[in-house]
Amino acid sequence: MTDTILEPTISPEEIQIDASLRPKSLSDFVGQPRLKQSLELALAAAKSRHEPIDHVLLYGPPGLGKTTLSHIIASEQGGSIHVTTGPALTRAGDLAALLTNLEEGDVLFIDEIHRLNKVVEETLYSGMEDRRLDLVLGKGPAARTVTVDLKPFTLVGATTMYGSLSGPLRSRFGIINKLEYYSDTDLSSVLTRSANILKIQLDRDAVLALAKRSRGTPRIANRLLRRSRDTAQIHHHNHLTLQAVNDTLTLLQIDELGLDASDRELLTRIITYHHGGPVGVETLSSALSEDAGTIEEVYEPFLIQQGLLARTKAGRVVTDLAYKHLGLAKK
């Protein structure tokens, strides 16, 4: 099986490390028990019918395993995976080039599928539903429509903004699953597995400390593990102890809840300049020099899940728990 990756957004070294830590089968995939059970059933049924699994939509915060699951689906059904993103498909021809190159059982993974161009999205409908493409060649009176048959394939779409998907696109997915934040127990299993792959000597209390600071997200857990490995290598004789983890987290300014300096700045700004809220996301975007989408998709989900921030019709409001965590008093 081969992987076709369009527009890589991380360095080759990071791709290699991430690939080495990525589970290759559902049995190795930690967490998300209901999602795993659903996919195992669908894959087994599709395999018995000698056909690809139905189109799959995965949604939830970044870093929870949407890309990993798309690779597993391709591997389980013996096909190749072709990876792209919604913004990369600017013309219907871009999509047609991808779809016509798919072999039977292949997976087309579209990350950020909610950002698909409207024309591209409408072109995708017939490909998903009827396994054919209706392409218009030429312009004006000389234009003609050509129908191209596609081989049976599986589209896996991933999004952090499920509500931004159009109804017609959502309805064409046969399997829709939400990925939840991971428990500390599941993250500890992820970290132990990654440490074994990377050949890191890791103490049990160090595992738990990393899990608690990883915001319920395997991608963050693995990133903190790699940074802690650097500290252990230089200052702790390659032994990743609790002290090595604490030194790393202090250096990265990550507190006991997993909040980093940017998270604390967002909460502190709402408290200091807006009396705890409510305040609009555009105001926060300007004040923090961050894109509004980044605030909504990256910062807010975890802060809300932890009960530190609330979204109201009037805007964002800091909770009493956030005041307590930051050691600030209400005015």
Side-chain angles (χ1 to χ4, degrees):
M1 186 184 71
T2 59
D3 295 354
T4 302
I5 299 181
L6 303 184
E7 295 196 342
T9 57
I10 53 179
S11 69
E13 181 184 359
E14 288 295 323
I15 290 174
Q16 186 176 3
I17 293 174
D18 286 344
S20 69
L21 299 181
R22 180 174 288 150
K24 302 298 189 294
S25 66
L26 278 175
S27 59
D28 291 334
F29 189 89
V30 177
Q32 313 295 339
R34 284 182 293 182
L35 184 153
K36 281 177 62 175
Q37 186 177 8
S38 171
L39 283 180
E40 283 172 350
L41 178 64
L43 283 164
K47 192 174 295 184
S48 69
R49 296 192 298 265
H50 305 287
E51 62 184 36
I53 190 176
D54 206 349
H55 302 302
V56 180
L57 178 64
L58 303 172
Y59 69 99
L64 299 186
K66 295 185 286 293
T67 302
T68 296
L69 285 168
S70 71
H71 282 78
I72 289 174
I73 290 170
S75 176
E76 295 279 359
Q77 64 186 23
S80 299
I81 184 167
H82 304 256
V83 182
T84 187
T85 64
L89 301 174
T90 58
R91 299 176 296 114
D94 298 333
L95 178 65
L98 278 174
L99 291 177
T100 53
N101 280 319
L102 297 177
E103 298 294 332
E104 184 171 352
D106 281 1
V107 167
L108 173 60
F109 175 62
I110 304 181
D111 200 7
E112 298 184 273
I113 196 170
H114 62 278
R115 296 177 62 187
L116 272 178
N117 176 286
K118 189 65 177 176
V119 174
V120 174
E121 179 182 319
E122 291 174 351
T123 304
L124 185 60
Y125 292 163
S126 60
M128 294 176 68
E129 208 162 30
D130 305 318
R131 292 196 182 121
R132 62 178 175 80
L133 282 178
D134 297 320
L135 302 175
V136 178
L137 303 180
K139 294 182 179 180
R144 59 193 179 90
T145 301
V146 174
T147 299
V148 179
D149 292 326
L150 302 175
K151 295 177 182 177
F153 73 98
T154 298
L155 172 68
V156 179
T159 178
T160 56
M161 301 181 67
Y162 179 71
S164 297
L165 289 176
S166 67
L169 182 57
R170 281 200 305 266
S171 67
R172 284 170 168 81
F173 286 97
I175 301 171
I176 300 178
N177 281 303
K178 178 182 180 181
L179 280 79
E180 306 283 354
Y181 284 112
Y182 284 57
S183 66
D184 290 346
T185 301
D186 284 340
L187 283 177
S188 295
S189 298
V190 170
L191 286 162
T192 301
R193 177 182 178 276
S194 297
N196 288 334
I197 293 172
L198 296 174
K199 295 180 172 56
I200 300 172
Q201 184 182 357
L202 184 61
D203 288 352
R204 180 176 294 183
D205 52 0
V207 173
L208 186 57
L210 283 171
K212 287 182 177 295
R213 309 288 185 93
S214 297
R215 302 167 67 99
T217 306
R219 181 183 296 164
I220 294 175
N222 284 326
R223 177 171 60 83
L224 293 181
L225 176 64
R226 296 196 296 268
R227 299 291 70 78
S228 298
R229 177 182 61 171
D230 294 342
T231 303
Q233 180 180 336
I234 301 301
H235 298 296
H236 296 271
H237 310 289
N238 279 323
H239 187 184
L240 217 171
T241 62
L242 177 60
Q243 186 59 52
V245 168
N246 287 335
D247 289 348
T248 303
L249 296 173
T250 299
L251 180 65
L252 297 176
Q253 299 182 351
I254 296 173
D255 65 26
E256 61 273 14
L257 287 184
L259 306 189
D260 60 20
S262 298
D263 298 312
R264 292 191 294 273
E265 182 184 4
L266 186 150
L267 295 173
T268 303
R269 182 166 286 275
I270 296 176
I271 292 171
T272 304
Y273 295 98
H274 303 281
H275 308 290
V279 58
V281 67
E282 294 297 338
T283 301
L284 289 174
S285 173
S286 299
L288 299 172
S289 300
E290 285 279 11
D291 179 73
T294 301
I295 292 176
E296 291 179 325
E297 296 176 34
V298 178
Y299 296 123
E300 289 186 348
F302 183 73
L303 294 175
I304 292 171
Q305 192 256 355
Q306 291 295 304
L308 301 170
L309 188 70
R311 285 178 182 169
T312 68
K313 291 183 179 179
R316 276 61 177 169
V317 178
V318 168
T319 67
D320 292 343
L321 187 60
Y323 279 94
K324 181 179 179 181
H325 178 67
L326 296 171
L328 299 174
K330 279 190 173 182
K331 296 181 181 180

